[in-house]
Structures are given as structure tokens and as C-alpha cells.
Amino acid sequence: MKDDFDFDEDANFSFDDEEEDDDFGMTFEEDLYLMIREKLRDTIHEYKAQFPVLKKLETSVSNFKVKAANTDDSKFYPLAAKLLAEHIKPLTEESEEIMEIYTSMQADITRFKNQRAHGHEGDLYLSA
């Protein structure tokens, strides 16, 4: 006698503990760096009318370039984030707002070393 239930023998019932790759092949480091840049861009866009000094930050961030040939993602993106922070650090002396953004950005940069660290979200450094 045939069972009441027919299972499709061709169906794939594999259960992987791995998360689905929905980031199109990006490494953690690349994704984190792009998130930091996106937070900076969104924060500047949102608040530059309220805090005109952020226009200097916008110019500084848009002029930032990193050249590190033959470097893999695990080294390039943490280096790029560190250099970006160093690039905007002189502007922290010009305003409390830029200092707050810089300090908040540091919380995200620590995630390169500890992926489980809680990145910063909030006030003058918007979440992505």
C-alpha cells in the first residue's frame, strides 16, 4: 500500500547553518567600510543645512582616496577606514558636531577587529 504522502524525491532538503549570501560576494570588511561611508554621507546630507560646518566634512570625505595596490579585502578596508578617520580628524577641532561624528565612527571601526562589537547608531551619525 502506498503512503498517503508523496514527497518529491528531487527536492533539495539540505539544511545549512550558513547564512544565505545576500551581499553579492562582499567580504565583511568591504561591507563594513561601505556602511561607514554610507553613514557619513547620509549624516552629512541630513544635517549640513543645520550645521554648515559639515560642508567642510563633506568636502574632506569626497576628496578622500586610498591607494593600496595588491592588498586583499581583509587588510585594505580596515586600512581605508583608519585612513579616512585620520583624514577627517583635524576637522574635529572645528566643531563639536564633527567630533561627535568622528567619535561615533570609531565604534564602527572597532568592528574590523571584533565583528561582534556593537557599532554606533544614532544622533549625529545615522544608521545605514
Side-chain angles (χ1 to χ4, degrees):
M1 178 174 177
K2 190 172 181 179
D3 290 328
D4 292 331
F5 300 101
D6 285 342
F7 293 99
D8 185 358
E9 292 179 23
D10 294 332
N12 181 4
F13 293 105
S14 65
F15 298 98
D16 292 333
D17 289 337
E18 296 178 27
E19 295 178 21
E20 285 190 33
D21 189 13
D22 60 354
D23 60 1
F24 305 104
M26 274 193 252
T27 62
F28 171 80
E29 292 83 5
E30 180 180 9
D31 191 39
L32 179 57
Y33 178 73
L34 293 175
M35 182 199 67
I36 290 168
R37 293 292 299 239
E38 183 177 350
K39 283 183 175 185
L40 282 172
R41 184 196 68 226
D42 292 350
T43 299
I44 292 166
H45 180 71
E46 180 75 23
Y47 294 108
K48 73 180 174 184
Q50 186 177 353
F51 304 106
V53 72
L54 294 184
K55 291 177 184 177
K56 284 186 178 182
L57 179 61
E58 180 178 40
T59 301
S60 182
V61 170
S62 66
N63 290 333
F64 176 74
K65 305 281 187 259
V66 177
K67 294 179 183 169
N70 301 322
T71 307
D72 67 2
D73 286 359
S74 67
K75 292 180 182 140
F76 175 78
Y77 291 106
L79 174 64
K82 178 183 174 192
L83 293 174
L84 176 60
E86 289 175 5
H87 182 74
I88 66 175
K89 187 175 183 175
L91 297 174
T92 61
E93 297 173 7
E94 295 190 30
S95 85
E96 291 178 22
E97 293 79 22
I98 294 176
M99 178 57 134
E100 183 178 339
I101 292 167
Y102 173 81
T103 303
S104 300
M105 189 175 129
Q106 294 301 316
D108 282 335
I109 290 174
T110 62
R111 294 184 64 212
F112 283 109
K113 292 183 179 173
N114 179 3
Q115 293 183 16
R116 296 177 191 257
H118 180 69
H120 183 81
E121 295 179 8
D123 302 336
L124 214 61
Y125 183 65
L126 300 177
S127 59

